């Protein structure tokens, strides 16, 4: 029996480990189009900020593949033939499988703005992107960032800490709608501005013009243009499902999977950014572009491909990062339309909002310091279990601390 895993990152690597836990004998092949050792995308901004040495990006030694009896192939898969159970590589090699795990992640996309596809305009999604950006961070003076999501703002922060002049251009009237509520976004906006990053929300970018000296003029609607030496586009991602075109594997922007991470085709699984699966809150098919979710899904897919029936308890969206001298974090549901109410917790410096619905804690939003992060972490298992609790700040804090104490004692 042969199992193929496509993808050498969070989901694919977790699938390897889990597969081998339950099955030591079957053949395991891992195919990846990105060259070199496996690395963590999460750590890319830390390398740009020089908080982490470049070598710190890499998360597996070569020995990992030997130890787990994995045949590693560094090639791109161009097609999955789900009827004849084979993958076709770009060099036309055909490899048959009995089980397949799709862990192909996502890729960065750019909006349709004139001049956006040219040299000097980058994404910040892969190691190759960061390889291109590192020399620019070291030698250039002005960077513009298109978009103000989690990754875009980390890029802007990295450039600012390296001494560049940075302008962030955002179409919407606020930053980070999928990571922070309105108040959290307002607090972070102030922090960003205090660092000297120019933040232009509610701004329409009309075109990117390359000037004679190779720098850029960014033409904005009803505003003065912005000038930059280079540009980073951080406006979102799409799932890597191109190789599934023409197959019978059900997709809706992402590969649809059940609680076993299995697709509609028996024996074919998907995990990580490429997969839309169940969530803590009962969604049947949702994509969470998150490292821990990819690992959890990979573990479930690997186990099931190995013959061990495991079910996923559902993904809980969670973002935590350090930027602009604050911890910025959120999880679960925190926007007004999704919750019954919320409480601001009196912890440390900053802002920590706990959200509830049907007497359960369902989400947290944080722009604060290390003291508030501690409470944030303790709330994660409580949200996942969906426990009904008193959401008054004092009682909630007592409850959370008692729970944490009980867990620590176990
Ligand atoms: C800058 C940045 C910061 C981030 N920060 C955070 C964070 O703080 N917290 C968090 O939770 N998440 C963060 N993320 C998101 C996180 O990195 C992703 O959710 C995670 O990498 C998803 O893992 P994955 O294994 O599903 O896919 P990926 O990491 O995208 O890996 C996909 C793999 O598939 C391979 N592949 C794709 N197509 C093919 C093909 N056709 N043939 C062969 N191989 C193929 C690739 O080579 C790669 O090995 C961040 C991402 C970025 C870019």
């Amino acid at each position: 029996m042969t199992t193929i895993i496509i993808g050498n990152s969070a989901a694919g690597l977790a699938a390897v480990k889990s597969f081998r836990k339950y099955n030591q004998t079957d053949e395991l092949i891992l195919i990846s189009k990105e060259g070199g050792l496996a690395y963590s995308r999460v750590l890319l901004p830390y390398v740009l900020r020089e908080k982490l040495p470049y070598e710190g990006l890499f998360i597996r030694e070569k020995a990992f593949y030997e130890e787990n009896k994995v045949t590693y192939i560094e090639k791109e898969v161009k097609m999955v033939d789900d009827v004849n159970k084979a993958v076709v590589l770009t060099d036309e090699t055909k490899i048959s499988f009995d089980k397949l795990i799709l862990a192909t992640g996502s890729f960065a996309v750019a909006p349709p703005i004139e001049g956006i596809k040219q040299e000097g305009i980058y994404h910040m999604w892969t190691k190759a992107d960061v390889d291109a950006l590192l020399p620019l961070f070291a030698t250039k003076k002005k960077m513009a960032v298109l978009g103000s999501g989690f990754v875009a703002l980390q890029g802007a922060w990295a450039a600012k800490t390296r001494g560049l002049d940075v302008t962030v251009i955002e179409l919407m009237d606020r930053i980070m709608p999928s990571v922070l509520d309105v108040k959290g976004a307002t607090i972070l906006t102030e922090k960003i501005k205090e660092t000297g990053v120019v933040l232009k929300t509610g701004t329409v970018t009309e075109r990117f013009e390359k000037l004679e000296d190779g720098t850029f003029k960014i033409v904005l609607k009803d505003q003065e243009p912005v000038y930059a030496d280079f540009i980073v586009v951080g406006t979102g991602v799409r799932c890597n499902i191109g190789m599934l075109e023409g197959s019978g594997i059900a997709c809706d922007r992402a590969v649809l999977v059940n609680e076993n991470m299995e697709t509609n085709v028996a024996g074919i699984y998907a995990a990580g950014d490429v997969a839309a699966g169940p969530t803590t809150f009962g969604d049947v098919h949702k994509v969470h572009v998150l490292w821990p979710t990819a690992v959890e899904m990979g573990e479930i897919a690997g186990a099931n491909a190995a013959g061990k029936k495991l079910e996923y308890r559902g993904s809980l969206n969670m973002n935590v990062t350090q930027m602009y001298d604050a911890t910025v974090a959120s999880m679960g549901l925190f926007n007004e339309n999704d919750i019954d109410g919320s409480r601001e917790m009196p912890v440390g410096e900053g802002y920590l909002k706990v959200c509830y619905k049907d007497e359960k804690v369902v989400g947290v939003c944080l722009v604060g310091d290390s003291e508030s992060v501690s409470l944030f972490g303790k709330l994660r298992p409580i949200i996942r279990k969906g426990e009904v609790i008193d959401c008054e700040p004092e009682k909630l804090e007592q409850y959370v601390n008692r729970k944490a104490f009980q867990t620590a004692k176990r």
Side-chain angles (χ1 to χ4, degrees):
M1 292 273 275
T2 299
T3 294
I4 294 181
I5 298 172
I6 315 175
N8 188 31
S9 185
L13 293 167
V16 167
K17 266 315 245 188
S18 176
F19 185 94
R20 279 289 174 242
K21 184 172 171 191
Y22 300 107
N23 184 328
Q24 284 85 44
T25 51
D26 284 357
E27 186 182 20
L28 197 51
I29 299 173
L30 188 146
I31 308 174
S32 173
K33 69 175 179 183
E34 270 185 279
L37 290 174
Y39 67 95
S40 167
R41 302 201 195 290
V42 174
L43 299 175
L44 294 172
Y46 296 82
V47 169
L48 282 170
R49 249 167 76 200
E50 292 188 321
K51 261 278 185 193
L52 184 76
Y54 190 81
E55 307 74 55
L57 276 179
F58 301 103
I59 53 174
R60 293 292 181 280
E61 305 275 347
K62 270 193 181 145
F64 171 84
Y65 304 91
E66 263 168 50
E67 281 160 17
N68 289 286
K69 290 176 270 168
V70 177
T71 306
Y72 174 72
I73 300 175
E74 207 167 277
K75 291 271 168 63
E76 181 171 356
V77 174
K78 73 165 185 183
M79 203 185 107
V80 172
D81 179 348
D82 57 311
V83 178
N84 297 304
K85 298 217 162 168
V87 299
V88 183
L89 309 182
T90 43
D91 64 7
E92 302 302 333
T93 310
K94 221 175 191 184
I95 311 174
S96 300
F97 62 79
D98 298 288
K99 304 271 177 72
L100 174 68
I101 300 174
L102 301 158
T104 50
S106 45
F107 63 99
V109 289
I113 298 172
E114 189 185 325
I116 201 164
K117 292 225 161 112
Q118 55 178 315
E119 214 186 313
I121 305 187
Y122 304 86
H123 290 294
M124 206 183 95
W125 194 253
T126 63
K127 182 165 68 64
D129 294 333
V130 165
D131 288 340
L133 287 170
L134 277 170
L136 304 177
F137 271 53
T139 56
K140 302 291 182 187
K141 298 263 178 297
K142 285 188 199 163
M143 177 174 104
V145 178
L146 196 69
S148 69
F150 195 70
V151 170
L153 286 179
Q154 286 192 75
W157 172 233
K160 192 68 208 172
T161 57
R162 299 283 304 273
L164 278 81
D165 291 335
V166 182
T167 304
V168 176
I169 304 165
E170 167 60 55
L171 179 65
M172 292 175 67
D173 59 5
R174 57 163 287 198
I175 61 167
M176 280 186 146
S178 58
V179 176
L180 287 177
D181 69 345
V182 174
K183 184 164 177 186
T186 308
I187 294 168
L188 183 61
T189 296
E190 282 315 307
K191 287 188 175 290
I192 292 171
K193 288 182 175 166
E194 277 165 21
T195 66
V197 168
V198 178
L199 181 56
K200 290 175 171 288
T201 49
T203 298
V204 177
T205 303
E206 292 193 325
R207 63 183 181 279
F208 297 94
E209 280 177 21
K210 181 83 107 7
L211 303 176
E212 267 181 15
D213 63 358
T215 63
F216 289 92
K217 176 181 176 184
I218 307 168
V219 180
L220 307 174
K221 191 172 179 206
D222 303 328
Q223 283 192 50
E224 289 299 307
V226 166
Y227 292 89
D229 298 322
F230 65 104
I231 296 157
V232 170
V233 176
T235 51
V237 292
R238 296 271 180 285
C239 301
N240 261 321
I241 52 173
M243 80 294 292
L244 303 182
E245 232 171 78
S247 80
I249 300 167
C251 296
D252 173 14
R253 289 197 182 182
V255 183
L256 306 180
V257 292
N258 63 16
E259 60 285 352
N260 306 119
M261 302 298 106
E262 194 163 22
T263 67
N264 61 316
V265 180
I268 299 186
Y269 304 83
D273 286 7
V274 77
T279 71
T280 298
F281 302 112
D283 304 284
V284 181
H285 291 128
K286 196 159 186 176
V287 178
H288 282 156
V289 179
L290 294 169
W291 188 274
T293 297
V295 170
E296 289 171 355
M297 287 178 134
E299 284 167 356
I300 301 291
N304 282 289
K308 170 81 181 168
K309 202 102 178 134
L310 284 191
E311 276 188 12
Y312 189 33
R313 58 188 163 160
S315 163
L316 173 61
N317 56 311
M318 181 175 84
N319 284 287
V320 185
T321 195
Q322 296 286 333
M323 56 181 169
Y324 305 94
D325 297 324
T327 299
V328 179
S330 67
M331 66 181 148
L333 309 173
F334 48 82
N335 282 316
E336 294 309 315
N337 294 343
D338 300 321
I339 59 177
D340 290 342
S342 62
R343 300 265 191 275
E344 276 188 41
M345 302 293 287
V347 278
E349 293 257 316
Y351 169 65
L352 181 120
K353 181 176 92 166
V354 177
C355 307
Y356 54 91
K357 187 176 184 176
D358 302 330
E359 294 173 79
K360 294 172 188 169
V361 177
V362 290
V364 188
C365 213
L366 160 74
V367 183
D369 60 9
S370 50
E371 196 184 326
S372 34
V373 175
S374 150
L375 180 61
F376 180 89
K378 289 173 190 167
L379 284 166
R380 185 170 156 82
I382 291 173
I383 295 178
R384 265 209 140 140
K385 282 189 192 138
E387 292 171 38
V388 173
I389 56 177
D390 195 325
C391 294
E392 282 300 323
E394 238 177 54
K395 292 200 177 137
L396 178 63
E397 205 160 7
Q398 279 169 10
Y399 180 85
V400 167
N401 285 328
R402 197 175 67 238
K403 271 279 191 204
F405 178 66
Q406 285 166 355
T407 314
K409 262 184 34 177
R410 254 185 241 138

